[in-house]
Amino acid sequence: MPTLDEINRFRPAEFSRAFGAVYEHSAWIAERAFALRPATGFASRAAVHAALVATVQAAGADEQLALLDAHPELAGKEAEAGALTAASQREQSAAGLIGLTSEETQRLRALNARYRDRFGFPFIIAARNNTRAAIFGALEARLHNTRAMEINNALMQVGEIARLRVFDLIEA
Amino acid sequence: MPTLDEINRFRPAEFSRAFGAVYEHSAWIAERAFALRPATGFASRAAVHAALVATVQAAGADEQLALLDAHPELAGKEAEAGALTAASQREQSAAGLIGLTSEETQRLRALNARYRDRFGFPFIIAARNNTRAAIFGALEARLHNTRAMEINNALMQVGEIARLRVFDLIEA
């Protein structure tokens, strides 16, 4: 696992390789974030994360929606087919979302379908920060929001997923 | 309202004055974030926000908890006494939390009290990103989490509140 000092000596390709999987199927974020490296280098793991978040927040609305769309549904088809990214697999497992009863799976899929119908992108939540009960409750609660609100909430959750992954990828 | 160019010419005291109220009663964050200004200046509003978030995420656990504790309860005593910060007043109004029925106020206060009992800090959510119904649902959902999870969720919401405020304070 690289230290901050090592990361601060990375060339662009190494930085992209190290952090390309932090955002689901969206390696362009790490590629673009390299340019935001401070002249004196990243001072903390939080600073690396901040460069990634700033890249997403400064991206176009179409790019942001594509990023949301690149996320798997919780306990969805990708999970069933074993097609989750390694990080997503770990996170969904930790939240108790792998191995739901078939009744729970059906309820979650029905809620996911309502969410996608309403907003046009999958429901996204940082699974490591929520128990299974909290995830069900949050999904139901967020169905009460507008699309503009949910784009903000989804991008915020994506940023938190990224933070937890980045902190895991850099020597403390 | 300052432009990015103007902000990039700010001295520390001007930066602190401009962004000191972005975090509730926690002006130390803007003061410390000034040091994270890139050599070439902030390239976007998102970059200013990123410096603030990195400051919070790199702060000590005690400082983070003090930040959470500096937040008012939704529809709580501060709101009743007219003692909210100007930004909080606007945000709670927008979410329909000023002028609840007395039954709704009692229900929200009971949930807030359970939340504070369980976790030791107030329930925090970006009110502008949630309808009233979503806020009630999120509060109930998040009571299912552990304290470590809720510290992460609360800091994430605080970061999003800051983002919405920072974007409002800088000329687009």
Side-chain angles (χ1 to χ4, degrees):
Chain A
M1 195 165 3
T3 64
L4 275 173
D5 275 354
E6 287 164 348
I7 290 164
N8 283 326
R9 288 193 299 269
F10 275 176
R11 284 161 302 169
E14 294 169 299
F15 188 85
S16 298
R17 203 155 45 234
F19 301 110
V22 163
Y23 288 89
E24 292 285 295
H25 309 293
S26 304
W28 60 271
I29 299 168
E31 282 163 27
R32 219 177 275 178
F34 186 80
L36 300 183
R37 191 172 55 156
T40 53
F42 295 111
S44 62
R45 297 186 295 179
V48 177
H49 174 242
L52 294 164
V53 170
T55 300
V56 172
Q57 289 296 347
D62 51 339
E63 293 175 311
Q64 292 176 340
L65 282 173
L67 169 61
L68 300 183
D69 235 5
H71 282 70
E73 282 184 8
L74 295 175
K77 288 186 303 290
E78 294 94 336
E80 192 172 64
L84 289 175
T85 63
S88 272
Q89 173 74 30
R90 276 195 303 276
E91 291 156 4
Q92 294 202 29
S93 287
L97 292 172
I98 308 289
L100 294 175
T101 65
S102 70
E103 204 177 343
E104 288 169 324
T105 301
Q106 281 184 358
R107 200 175 134 232
L108 189 50
R109 292 206 181 163
L111 287 168
N112 274 331
R114 276 179 58 202
Y115 187 96
R116 189 190 283 274
D117 272 3
R118 186 161 158 74
F119 302 120
F121 48 84
F123 173 71
I124 302 169
I125 192 165
R128 280 203 275 177
N129 283 348
N130 291 278
T131 62
R132 190 194 299 197
I135 289 171
F136 275 91
L139 212 176
E140 288 179 332
R142 284 168 52 188
L143 281 166
H144 292 290
N145 286 331
T146 66
R147 185 163 186 270
M149 288 172 168
E150 275 310 297
I151 290 173
N152 283 347
N153 282 324
L155 288 172
M156 171 186 71
Q157 296 287 344
V158 165
E160 177 67 1
I161 293 166
R163 188 182 70 81
L164 294 165
R165 291 180 180 179
V166 164
F167 276 53
D168 280 350
L169 288 171
I170 304 175
E171 195 71 46
Chain B
M1 196 163 3
T3 64
L4 275 172
D5 276 353
E6 287 164 347
I7 290 165
N8 283 326
R9 288 192 299 270
F10 274 176
R11 284 161 302 169
E14 293 169 299
F15 188 85
S16 299
R17 205 158 41 237
F19 300 110
V22 164
Y23 288 89
E24 293 285 296
H25 309 294
S26 304
W28 61 271
I29 299 168
E31 283 163 24
R32 220 178 273 178
F34 185 80
L36 300 184
R37 190 172 54 155
T40 52
F42 294 112
S44 63
R45 298 186 294 179
V48 177
H49 174 243
L52 293 165
V53 169
T55 300
V56 172
Q57 289 294 348
D62 51 339
E63 293 174 313
Q64 291 175 340
L65 282 173
L67 169 61
L68 300 183
D69 234 6
H71 282 71
E73 282 184 8
L74 295 175
K77 289 185 303 288
E78 294 92 338
E80 191 172 64
L84 289 175
T85 62
S88 271
Q89 172 75 31
R90 276 194 304 275
E91 291 156 3
Q92 294 202 29
S93 288
L97 292 173
I98 309 289
L100 294 176
T101 65
S102 70
E103 204 177 343
E104 288 169 322
T105 302
Q106 280 184 358
R107 199 175 134 232
L108 189 50
R109 292 206 180 163
L111 286 167
N112 273 331
R114 276 179 59 203
Y115 187 96
R116 189 191 283 275
D117 272 3
R118 185 161 158 76
F119 302 119
F121 48 84
F123 173 72
I124 302 169
I125 192 166
R128 281 202 273 176
N129 283 348
N130 292 278
T131 64
R132 192 195 299 198
I135 289 171
F136 275 92
L139 211 175
E140 288 179 333
R142 285 167 53 186
L143 281 166
H144 292 289
N145 286 332
T146 65
R147 184 162 186 270
M149 288 170 167
E150 274 309 298
I151 290 173
N152 283 348
N153 283 325
L155 289 172
M156 172 186 71
Q157 295 286 345
V158 165
E160 177 66 4
I161 294 167
R163 189 182 70 80
L164 294 166
R165 292 180 180 178
V166 164
F167 276 54
D168 279 350
L169 288 171
I170 304 174
E171 196 70 48

